[in-house]
Amino acid sequence: MANPITAPLSPSVRHSPMIGFFERVPIIAGSAVAVLGALALVGWALNFPFVTTATTGGYPILPLMALCFVLAGGALTMAVRKHRTPTTEAVQQTLAALVATIAGLTLYEYLRGSESGFDLLLFGEKLKRVSSIPAGRSASIPPGRISINSAGSLLLFALALLSIPHDRRRQDLRAQMFATPALLIALLAILGYLFGVKGMYNLSQSSGMALWTAIGQLILGVGIMLALRDRGVAVLLMDDGAAGVLTRRLLPAALLAPILLGVIRILGESSGFYETEFGVSLFAVASILTFVGLVLWSARVLRNTDKERVDLLVLEQQARVHAEKARAEAETARAEAERANNSKTDFLAVMSHELRTPLTAIMGYEELLSDGITGPVTELQRQQLGRINASARHLLGLIDEILTFARVDVGRERVRWESMSVNHTLADSAALVEPMAAAKSIDFVVELLEEDQPIQTDGTKLRQMLVNLLSNGIKFTEKGEVRVGCLVNNAILEVRIADTGVGISADNIEEVFEPFWQAEQTATRKTGGTGLGLSVTRKLARLLGGDVTVSSRMGMGTVFLLTLPMKAPAGETIRRRDTPSGPVHALHI
């Protein structure tokens, strides 16, 4: 399939309806010329006197010229189509070349002074009838031969049609350069018929341009001049600025006003209202007044356009000022929000730190009382002291969680890089949460690496993340199991914590990492905590160069995946953590 040739880009957004009309002129002109030629051929075929008989003082439109109109109109229409292909362009060039061939052969026969019969290919017998040939036509000129001025302008139009694809690719003006003199020849012929000046459409005593031929060539020339919208006359007519407004208003007036005034002068002279001298003077005065009016009108249009442009610039400036003001206000609001957030975090850190002091004292006094330092302790008192100790430790854990969140949130959390055993670290973390699983009678399975490996990371933070994820799985699992597995893949440690708990809905799958969000949002939720555990875990994982992701289905359980690099970043100081010797076995509790 042929590839489409991209149509020229339309100029910027248009507002004047006249611009849309001028954009369609080439299509309209090409279609009109082709229809005119087709009607003329039909007239010759059906012997219509209106077509085959010359008008008074003029000439009929010849069959060969009618054929050229059909070919040229089709070529122009195909040249300005929006969707063109190499095939349609080749057809367009062929049609234009046929027109150039007919016009060139006609001029060649005029130069040779010979008669080859080429002019009688269409309706030859009808053309030989004397009734259809003007009385002043020389017998040496074949009756079907196109006049010299018609053939010359037709050749120029054909060259212009052949140049349109070249101009579109090379940003050239050949088509308009060829079409301009041909357009002037057609315009002179029309004015000759209008003012009764035979020499303007008849270059010899034997042949001349027909009125309908001149009209068709004028329409064809206008279409070619506007075929390429981004250059020459077309770019001025279709400009949406002041230049376009003036061109669209002044050009028609400048063309029509002299013609109209000339017709009025001739009608007045022929009717005997005034003499020729008075008619010439009247024409001159009317022309002066007309063009002075056009100049003043143009000045007013320019003044209004400039005023609109100045108003638009003022509005744009005001809009920019408002935008800058809004941007400055937004920056101020953002800075205030950041300060408020930092103040909140600082408050949490300070308050959490201050709460640790009395909690430590409470735990210390509880231990003293439990050891009987102040006197004997009954069994009931020992149970009550145990509850105090458990509650204090739980509260201390919550405070530590808030402290970690606050430090990470403001970027104050420090990383202490150390080398430690993966298996020992995972086993130690599992041992801390094992009582939670035993209390709920659920299976707790820990699968370690088959061959233990060292990891360079922050051991305290790694244990905190593991405990958070493990306790979270146990907390939301009422029956079934919590299974932990780990592996090393491409120097990345992957720890997978899977449970058979309540699961998380798809709408909330990412919200579990938001601060203070919990899977159970009702006031009667069974589980406790601040809702910071998973948020802190993800922040710590990313601080250490890894991440935490989650997948879950409601009622089917949840899987958390913790990933961490096995090596610390280059340039970091690594200290060695002492770990117990000997292998660590997988746990199944």
Side-chain angles (χ1 to χ4, degrees):
M1 183 180 294
N3 294 325
I5 300 174
T6 306
L9 294 176
S10 299
S12 58
V13 178
R14 305 276 179 23
H15 303 288
S16 171
M18 288 298 294
I19 294 177
F21 169 75
F22 283 120
E23 288 180 341
R24 293 189 293 271
V25 162
I27 292 288
I28 297 172
S31 302
V33 170
V35 170
L36 176 62
L39 290 177
L41 290 175
V42 171
W44 277 100
L46 300 180
N47 226 358
F48 287 159
F50 178 75
V51 176
T52 59
T53 303
T55 56
T56 304
Y59 303 89
I61 180 170
L62 298 174
L64 214 52
M65 176 57 74
L67 176 63
C68 288
F69 275 169
V70 173
L71 297 175
L76 176 58
T77 303
M78 297 181 74
V80 296
R81 286 180 58 189
K82 289 185 178 180
H83 304 289
R84 296 181 300 277
T85 64
T87 302
T88 58
E89 185 172 297
V91 173
Q92 184 266 337
Q93 292 283 282
T94 302
L95 297 179
L98 288 174
V99 176
T101 302
I102 294 172
L105 287 175
T106 300
L107 292 175
Y108 176 72
E109 291 204 345
Y110 273 114
L111 291 175
R112 265 183 61 186
S114 61
E115 182 179 346
S116 63
F118 156 74
D119 311 290
L120 301 175
L121 290 177
L122 294 177
F123 308 108
E125 293 301 322
K126 294 182 180 180
L127 287 168
K128 292 177 182 179
R129 295 175 186 171
V130 179
S131 59
S132 64
I133 306 301
R137 185 163 186 142
S138 172
S140 61
I141 303 295
R145 181 173 294 177
I146 300 172
S147 65
I148 295 177
N149 52 350
S150 297
S153 58
L154 197 60
L155 178 61
L156 291 172
F157 282 136
L159 293 175
L161 290 170
L162 288 169
S163 301
I164 289 177
H166 168 273
D167 289 355
R168 184 178 289 112
R169 289 189 291 266
R170 302 292 181 88
Q171 299 292 313
D172 209 344
L173 289 170
R174 291 187 185 180
Q176 295 188 21
M177 291 172 60
F178 284 125
T180 300
L183 194 59
L184 292 177
I185 294 172
L187 181 60
L188 284 175
I190 292 175
L191 293 178
Y193 279 104
L194 188 62
F195 297 128
V197 183
K198 192 172 183 179
M200 297 177 71
Y201 60 85
N202 186 0
L203 299 184
S204 69
Q205 295 298 320
S206 57
S207 67
M209 184 181 294
L211 176 60
W212 283 108
T213 299
I215 293 173
Q217 291 196 1
L218 180 68
I219 296 173
L220 181 63
V222 171
I224 293 174
M225 295 294 287
L226 300 181
L228 299 178
R229 307 168 186 172
D230 57 347
R231 70 204 69 175
V233 177
V235 75
L236 293 176
L237 280 172
M238 300 183 206
D239 184 73
D240 201 36
V245 174
L246 287 180
T247 304
R248 288 190 294 273
R249 294 189 179 188
L250 291 181
L251 190 59
L255 290 173
L256 296 178
I259 297 175
L260 182 61
L261 293 175
V263 171
I264 293 174
R265 172 202 160 190
I266 291 176
L267 290 176
E269 290 179 2
S270 61
S271 301
F273 291 121
Y274 42 76
E275 299 295 331
T276 301
E277 294 79 4
F278 183 80
V280 172
S281 301
L282 182 63
F283 177 79
V285 172
S287 297
I288 291 172
L289 292 176
T290 300
F291 282 99
V292 167
L294 289 175
V295 169
L296 295 177
W297 182 35
S298 303
R300 184 176 65 85
V301 170
L302 281 177
R303 180 178 178 276
N304 293 337
T305 304
D306 287 340
K307 185 176 181 300
E308 291 177 359
R309 188 178 69 251
V310 170
D311 292 342
L312 182 60
L313 289 175
V314 170
L315 290 175
E316 289 178 351
Q317 183 64 28
Q318 291 176 349
R320 280 197 295 269
V321 170
H322 288 312
E324 290 292 335
K325 184 178 179 181
R327 189 158 41 246
E329 291 176 352
E331 288 291 332
T332 302
R334 186 177 63 82
E336 298 250 342
E338 288 181 353
R339 282 196 295 272
N341 185 59
N342 290 337
S343 298
K344 173 209 71 176
T345 305
D346 290 340
F347 171 77
L348 286 175
V350 171
M351 290 303 298
S352 299
H353 181 74
E354 292 300 323
L355 287 173
R356 287 175 61 90
T357 302
L359 272 176
T360 304
I362 291 172
M363 293 171 65
Y365 282 117
E366 182 274 331
E367 290 179 359
L368 291 175
L369 291 173
S370 296
D371 291 341
I373 298 298
T374 59
V377 180
T378 66
E379 186 61 29
L380 179 60
Q381 290 173 335
R382 192 176 300 280
Q383 291 178 1
Q384 292 172 344
L385 289 172
R387 293 193 184 97
I388 292 174
N389 182 271
S391 298
R393 290 186 179 279
H394 178 68
L395 184 56
L396 185 61
L398 296 179
I399 292 172
D400 286 339
E401 202 170 65
I402 294 174
L403 273 173
T404 303
F405 173 78
R407 287 195 301 269
V408 174
D409 198 41
V410 296
R412 296 179 186 172
E413 185 72 7
R414 296 179 59 189
V415 178
R416 296 182 180 180
W417 300 99
E418 51 191 346
S419 179
M420 71 205 70
S421 161
V422 171
N423 284 352
H424 280 93
T425 304
L426 183 56
D428 291 346
S429 303
L432 292 175
V433 299
E434 181 272 331
M436 295 176 57
K440 298 183 73 172
S441 300
I442 61 175
D443 291 337
F444 184 42
V445 182
V446 179
E447 299 170 346
L448 304 176
L449 294 176
E450 293 183 0
E451 183 178 348
D452 195 11
Q453 297 187 39
I455 182 172
Q456 295 176 354
T457 187
D458 189 314
T460 302
K461 293 178 175 54
L462 176 55
R463 282 184 173 83
Q464 184 176 355
M465 290 187 290
L466 291 173
V467 169
N468 281 344
L469 294 174
L470 292 171
S471 60
N472 186 79
I474 295 171
K475 184 191 303 183
F476 291 99
T477 302
E478 295 300 325
K479 59 181 180 179
E481 69 173 14
V482 174
R483 181 176 294 271
V484 185
C486 63
L487 60 89
V488 177
N489 184 17
N490 294 327
I492 298 294
L493 174 65
E494 298 180 358
V495 181
R496 184 176 180 271
I497 298 98
D499 64 63
T500 57
V502 295
I504 307 168
S505 68
D507 296 336
N508 300 326
I509 195 67
E510 282 300 320
E511 294 182 12
V512 297
F513 296 107
E514 294 296 325
F516 307 107
W517 191 93
Q518 292 183 329
E520 296 182 52
Q521 294 292 318
T522 61
T524 59
R525 58 191 173 92
K526 300 177 183 178
T527 59
T530 61
L532 291 175
L534 292 177
S535 177
V536 169
T537 300
R538 171 170 274 189
K539 288 179 181 292
L540 291 177
R542 291 179 174 177
L543 182 65
L544 298 176
D547 200 0
V548 177
T549 56
V550 60
S551 60
S552 181
R553 291 178 61 185
M554 288 297 294
M556 301 294 290
T558 304
V559 178
F560 285 93
L561 181 64
L562 170 64
T563 57
L564 289 174
M566 295 293 289
K567 298 292 184 181
E572 296 290 345
T573 302
I574 311 297
R575 68 187 185 92
R576 184 175 182 83
R577 176 187 286 263
D578 294 331
T579 57
S581 60
V584 181
H585 300 286
L587 305 179
H588 189 169
I589 300 171

